[in-house]
Structure formats: structure tokens, C-alpha cells
């Protein structure tokens, strides 16, 4: 199941232009590594994060965001808000569209976001080239100023970036990137670390399942089916069935 989900998101990111078995395993490791470190049901986190990245992936890629960063932002905001991963991803897509002048956002919405960020010294364009900066860099700059903003200023920035409907997602996103959760790390950095240090997670998950009651029952069922199939196909049973058939006939 996870393999199908992973395959569906690989074409969203340029970094996976050449998909190999190793790539698939590595991505599965990262998704499972993040999911097991969220305060969300593990199965919901795996399926939800895959669906979320699939929704947001193409827009995130266009804005220079990596797979890991997309996974961390979607997962972190979903954990903080308690909303579904798909709802969070659609919310983040709106925020990115309004901030970065792409997608379905109107010109007025985009201008409002740019003006609001510019008012606190956060540029969405590179001064030298005039090109749009990467969304990650904009969020980092905003995070560096966030603690010095008043609540009114935060709400103004949040409304400009996401509109009234996505305000809570903007606030959650900034909390994800600014609040120290221990060891001098933000929750975003923690989640990124769980993706980076996830080698072997997919194999461990498979082994844990195999050793679980459900896994053993599945194995028992397979063994039993094989036993009966072999028994029915054996010459002795075929002979007995043939004999009964001749007696009945």
C-alpha cells in the first residue's frame, strides 16, 4: 500500500526524476520515520502524509521546496491543528499561491501578501534579479521576525498570506518553525531530523508487522491454504476422490 502511495508522489518532485528501487525504499523510510514520531495514529499518519504530499507536491516543487520539507510542513501543521492531512495540504497550497503569485490566487490577494510581508522587511523577490524567492527562504525570514511581532501584526500577516479561512494554518506553520520544543530545536527541525535519520524504517516496520498477531495470522492463513492446495492435488487424494466418484456413479 505504501509503495503505491510513494510511487504516486515521485513524479511531483524533480529530485526523483530517476526512480529506482533504492529511491522507493528511501522514500518509504522517510515517510515511516516521520509518521512514527508524530502524535497522530501511525497508520493515519502514513496514509495521510502520502495523500497530503500528493496534493501539495507540484506547487511545492514549483516553489523550490524539497520532498522532505513538504512532508515536514504538511505533517507538522496536521499534528498541531488536528486537521486531516488533505485539508492541511489544500490550506498550505492556498497560502503558497497567495504568497508566491502562482495558482488560483487573484492579483489582489497576491499583492496584499507581498505588501504585508514587505512591511516587516520580508521580501518575496530577490532584489538583484527580481525573481521570486523560494518559499522556504521566505518562511525562514518570517520566522526570524515572528517573535517580535504583536498579535495584531501576526494576524495581519496571516490574513494576507492565507485569507481568513487559512489564518489558523499560517499561525500553525509559524509556530512549527519558531517554537523551541527542546534541545534548541523547533518542531519543524525535529520532523526534518526524523526524515533524515530514517534509514531502515521501512524494513523494521515490515518485520514488526510480520511478528505481530495480525502478521502471524496472515502467515498461518497462507500456510494453511498452501497445505490444503497441496493435499487436494496429491495423487492419494485424487485417487480417493476418483474412487468415490466411481462408487456414486
Amino acid at each position: 500500500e505504501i509503495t503505491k502511495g510513494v510511487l504516486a508522489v515521485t513524479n511531483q518532485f524533480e529530485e526523483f526524476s530517476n526512480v529506482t528501487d533504492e529511491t522507493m525504499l528511501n522514500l518509504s523510510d522517510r515517510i515511516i520515520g516521520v509518521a512514527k514520531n508524530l502524535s497522530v495514529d501511525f497508520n493515519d499518519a502514513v496514509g495521510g502524509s502520502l495523500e497530503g504530499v500528493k496534493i501539495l507536491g507540484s506547487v511545492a516543487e514549483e516553489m523550490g521546496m524539497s520532498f522532505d520539507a513538504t512532508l515536514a510542513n504538511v505533517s507538522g501543521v496536521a499534528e498541531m491543528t488536528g486537521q486531516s492531512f488533505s485539508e492541511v495540504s489544500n490550506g498550505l497550497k492556498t497560502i503558497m499561491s497567495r504568497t508566491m503569485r502562482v495558482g488560483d490566487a487573484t492579483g489582489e490577494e497576491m499583492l496584499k501578501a507581498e505588501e504585508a510581508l514587505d512591511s516587516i522587511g520580508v521580501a518575496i523577490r530577490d532584489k538583484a534579479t527580481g525573481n521570486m524567492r523560494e518559499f522556504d527562504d521566505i518562511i525562514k525570514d518570517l520566522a526570524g521576525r515572528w517573535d517580535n511581532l504583536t498579535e495584531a501584526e501576526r494576524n495581519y500577516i496571516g490574513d494576507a498570506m492565507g485569507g481568513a479561512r487559512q489564518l489558523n494554518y499560517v499561525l500553525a506553520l509559524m509556530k512549527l518553525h519558531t517554537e523551541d520544543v527542546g534541545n534548541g530545536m523547533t518542531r519543524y527541525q525535529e520532523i526534518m531530523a526524523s526524515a533524515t535519520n530514517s534509514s531502515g524504517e521501512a524494513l523494521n516496520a515490515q518485520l514488526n508487522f510480520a511478528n505481530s498477531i495480525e502478521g502471524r495470522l496472515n502467515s498461518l492463513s497462507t500456510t494453511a491454504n498452501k497445505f490444503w492446495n497441496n493435499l487436494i492435488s496429491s495423487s492419494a487424494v485424487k485417487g480417493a476422490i476418483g474412487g468415490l466418484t466411481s462408487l456414486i456413479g
Side-chain angles (χ1 to χ4, degrees), residues 142-173:
L142 181 56
R145 293 164 171 76
W146 196 251
D147 287 342
N148 295 322
L149 299 179
T150 65
E151 183 177 355
E153 288 172 325
R154 292 179 181 183
N155 287 334
Y156 167 62
I157 297 294
D159 180 72
M161 290 177 67
R165 295 182 61 183
Q166 316 301 336
L167 173 60
N168 285 339
Y169 289 145
V170 177
L171 298 179
L173 181 66

Side-chain angles (χ1 to χ4, degrees), residues 77 138-140 142-144 146 161 169-179:
V77 174
I138 294 171
I139 292 300
K140 286 176 184 175
L142 181 56
W146 196 251
M161 290 177 67
Y169 289 145
V170 177
L171 298 179
L173 181 66
M174 295 318 301
K175 183 177 180 180
L176 180 71
H177 283 262
T178 59
E179 188 172 83

Side-chain angles (χ1 to χ4, degrees), residues 41-240:
D41 176 81
F42 174 74
N43 290 326
D44 289 345
V46 171
S49 60
L50 280 169
E51 180 63 21
V53 172
K54 188 165 68 173
I55 291 170
L56 187 59
S58 59
V59 173
E61 163 69 21
E62 186 177 351
M63 298 181 186
M65 188 178 292
S66 69
F67 170 83
D68 282 357
T70 306
L71 177 63
N73 280 310
V74 170
S75 300
V77 174
E79 178 185 56
M80 285 188 169
T81 62
Q83 299 298 310
S84 72
F85 287 78
S86 58
E87 289 175 327
V88 167
S89 293
N90 281 311
L92 292 178
K93 181 186 283 189
T94 297
I95 292 165
M96 292 179 181
S97 296
R98 289 171 65 110
T99 305
M100 303 293 289
R101 296 177 173 252
V102 297
D104 299 328
T106 67
E108 183 179 349
E109 289 170 339
M110 295 173 186
L111 183 60
K112 183 179 179 180
E114 184 169 8
E115 289 178 343
L117 289 168
D118 189 62
S119 71
I120 59 169
V122 176
I124 69 169
R125 300 173 185 275
D126 185 279
K127 292 182 179 180
T129 65
N131 295 330
M132 303 298 287
R133 301 173 64 209
E134 294 185 354
F135 187 75
D136 270 351
D137 292 334
I138 294 171
I139 292 300
K140 286 176 184 175
D141 283 358
L142 181 56
R145 293 164 171 76
W146 196 251
D147 287 342
N148 295 322
L149 299 179
T150 65
E151 183 177 355
E153 288 172 325
R154 292 179 181 183
N155 287 334
Y156 167 62
I157 297 294
D159 180 72
M161 290 177 67
R165 295 182 61 183
Q166 316 301 336
L167 173 60
N168 285 339
Y169 289 145
V170 177
L171 298 179
L173 181 66
M174 295 318 301
K175 183 177 180 180
L176 180 71
H177 283 262
T178 59
E179 188 172 83
D180 190 331
V181 294
N183 298 320
M185 298 179 72
T186 63
R187 184 62 179 137
Y188 175 78
Q189 291 169 330
E190 278 190 334
I191 296 174
M192 286 290 282
S194 67
T196 303
N197 303 318
S198 61
S199 179
E201 290 289 359
L203 179 58
N204 288 337
Q206 186 63 35
L207 291 173
N208 289 336
F209 175 78
N211 290 324
S212 68
I213 293 176
E214 183 181 1
R216 293 186 180 191
L217 286 175
N218 286 346
S219 179
L220 178 61
S221 175
T222 301
T223 302
N225 287 335
K226 185 176 180 181
F227 168 77
W228 287 114
N229 287 335
N230 288 339
L231 180 62
I232 291 171
S233 64
S234 69
S235 57
V237 173
K238 285 181 178 178

